[in-house]
Amino acid sequence: MIVEKFRALYGRAPEIVARAPGRIEFIGNHTDYNGGTVLGASIDRAVEVALARRSDGEWRFASEGRGPAVVLKARGPFKQAGAAAWVNYPLGVLASLPKFGLRVPAGFDYLADSNLPVGAGLSSSAAIELASAFAFLRATGEDAPLETLVKAARDAENHFVGVPCGVLDQGVSAFGRENHLVFIDCRGPRFETVPLPPEANFWIFNTHTRHALIDGFYAARHRECAQAAREFGVALLADVAAAKKGEAQGWKWEVKDGLLEILPADRELPPWLKRAKHVVEEIARVDEAVAALRAGDLARVGRLLNASHRSSRFLLENSTAELDFLAEALAAAPHVYGARLTGGGFGGAVMALTDSAFDDARARTVAATYEKQFGKAPDILHARTGDGASILKG
Ligand code: ADP
Ligand code: MG
């Protein structure tokens, strides 16, 4: 398909086609910047990038449905604005490759095409970055470890586009595998795949809500977690479990069976302590989910997803009435193992893990009750796992 579109646009066949999938944050809410662990799913929807080299030193960028090609002289990537702003994603990759000792193609015709919704929390941005990185690398004939491409793609998003995303997005898109989840120890980062029973299905309910103060809320969570680490006397909250017990500002704490127990128990916890309790216990839930997956026990995985949502709601306090409503309605629905908010929170989407019998009709029933309450239906997306980034041609 993309080969035909490329030919129609540029009058010749592409030499290279690369693809990279979107991803779902499966469990591990706000654990990444605390040095913790997270599980993600690469899904069966992806961005494809087709490329053919040019010898006249021009970079020609086009994306299906985004108007005529943007033509740039291959002389240092300059940031684009307006309708061409999407080009900053592949341009950012071109700006990052040399930082990792990799070359940049001298000239090319480029076309992106995608069946991944944009801005739906499925990280179409990481997908276009990685598909681009794969295509550019193939065009220069160089080789690099997957870890390096993950770093270059993330660097593009953090420093060229200017979005402070974690390693989950690019890591899962790169390391994903059909019928597997990707486990990431964010500190390495270290990537591993964990088998997921094939009856597992994902249903994403996107509320299209976004709290007006969202950036400030994210910054506050980063600050509170950093403060908590200082109070606990550790570098990152991921280190609390190994420290086992101690005292912080008059609070006695102890990690027992994955729980952060805090005394006295009858006093309201200050924000930094609530965030710490969430992060420490969420990391334990990720590890427990890996064990449950290895045992093929999706019911147990589902209970962990529900517990993760409650923790985000009451301890991390990054949920909303809309997300709580969906998570609860879904968790109570037949054929659903569990449900939780996915992503940064303060709006966005809820993910349900279901068996194969959950279907469109059941999803629409949940969406209809939501619409009655909140006046607007959420978008529904059904996904299964899919393979990570790869070269399809060339
Ligand atoms: P998300 O990653 O959750 O989908 P982002 O706002 O991080 O949302 O990234 C979306 C942006 O990525 C789009 O606005 C666009 O600039 C770029 N993008 C994603 N997919 C494509 C595509 N197929 N073609 C062009 N740009 C794309
Ligand atoms: Mg994104």
Side-chain angles (χ1 to χ4, degrees):
M1 211 26 190
I2 194 170
V3 171
E4 288 320 306
K5 290 175 182 168
F6 189 97
R7 203 194 295 276
L9 183 66
Y10 293 115
R12 57 178 175 147
E15 299 172 304
I16 298 158
V17 179
R19 81 177 269 291
R23 65 95 190 100
I24 300 170
E25 177 197 287
F26 185 76
I27 190 168
N29 201 222
H30 287 242
T31 52
D32 54 353
Y33 57 87
N34 289 297
T37 52
V38 59
L39 273 170
S42 55
I43 61 170
D44 52 359
R45 284 167 177 259
V47 174
E48 287 184 0
V49 167
L51 199 92
R53 284 167 295 181
R54 299 176 66 92
S55 51
D56 61 357
E58 274 182 6
W59 289 343
R60 291 180 174 252
F61 294 97
S63 177
E64 192 57 30
R66 286 177 187 259
V70 178
V71 182
L72 302 173
K73 285 279 169 220
R75 243 190 285 119
F78 300 106
K79 220 170 154 175
Q80 304 296 301
W86 72 268
V87 178
N88 290 328
Y89 291 84
L91 268 185
V93 173
L94 291 166
S96 292
L97 289 174
K99 297 191 199 171
F100 297 89
L102 294 165
R103 282 187 291 133
V104 158
F108 53 76
D109 291 334
Y110 169 113
L111 177 66
D113 196 11
S114 171
N115 62 359
L116 195 56
V118 159
L122 299 169
S123 208
S124 69
S125 55
I128 192 171
E129 289 152 11
L130 267 170
S132 300
F134 267 66
F136 295 147
L137 209 67
R138 190 48 67 101
T140 61
E142 285 187 303
D143 230 342
L146 211 41
E147 282 85 353
T148 305
L149 291 187
V150 168
K151 280 187 197 155
R154 185 179 174 201
D155 181 80
E157 183 138 355
N158 290 169
H159 298 117
F160 195 84
V161 179
V163 176
C165 63
V167 70
L168 175 78
D169 301 0
Q170 292 81 10
V172 172
S173 183
F175 282 90
R177 198 169 144 200
E178 191 178 359
N179 292 325
H180 286 74
L181 295 179
V182 180
F183 169 87
I184 306 179
D185 183 339
C186 300
R187 194 127 45 161
R190 185 172 61 80
F191 307 92
E192 217 176 288
T193 53
V194 184
L196 179 73
E199 71 260 32
N201 282 258
F202 304 108
W203 290 80
I204 309 289
F205 292 74
N206 186 0
T207 65
H208 291 286
T209 56
R210 187 185 148 84
H211 203 290
L213 305 174
I214 198 161
D215 293 340
F217 285 150
Y218 288 153
R221 293 300 172 274
H222 279 257
R223 248 193 345 264
E224 291 155 355
C225 289
Q227 182 197 349
R230 279 195 306 277
E231 303 290 2
F232 280 82
V234 293
L236 290 162
L237 283 180
D239 299 322
V240 170
K244 290 209 176 79
K245 59 178 169 181
E247 217 178 305
Q249 291 220 4
W251 299 88
K252 280 195 163 38
W253 61 268
E254 182 168 5
V255 182
K256 257 194 215 154
D257 300 325
L259 297 178
L260 180 61
E261 294 179 352
I262 298 169
L263 293 173
D266 55 351
R267 266 170 55 199
E268 164 89 6
L269 303 182
W272 62 270
L273 206 43
K274 283 190 198 170
R275 313 307 181 231
K277 188 168 163 63
H278 166 82
V279 170
V280 171
E281 296 181 354
E282 184 78 349
I283 292 170
R285 272 188 291 273
V286 172
D287 295 338
E288 217 182 314
V290 171
L293 286 164
R294 293 206 188 281
D297 188 350
L298 287 181
R300 194 167 133 217
V301 173
R303 288 194 294 275
L304 292 163
L305 298 177
N306 295 339
S308 167
H309 184 83
R310 283 193 300 274
S311 183
S312 294
R313 178 177 180 179
F314 295 113
L315 294 174
L316 194 61
E317 296 178 296
N318 65 335
S319 191
T320 61
E322 289 88 344
L323 299 176
D324 292 339
F325 183 96
L326 281 173
E328 270 170 21
L330 284 162
H335 301 290
V336 175
Y337 293 111
R340 59 180 287 272
L341 69 83
T342 177
F346 306 108
V350 166
M351 173 210 74
L353 175 70
T354 76
D355 65 24
S356 312
F358 192 85
D359 57 10
D360 258 313
R362 290 176 199 277
R364 280 199 305 270
T365 304
V366 173
T369 58
Y370 175 93
E371 187 175 5
K372 238 187 232 153
Q373 179 92 4
F374 296 100
K376 190 175 176 288
D379 277 350
I380 302 169
L381 185 130
H382 176 204
R384 297 179 49 81
T385 55
D387 282 333
S390 67
I391 294 283
L392 299 179
K393 170 185 158 73

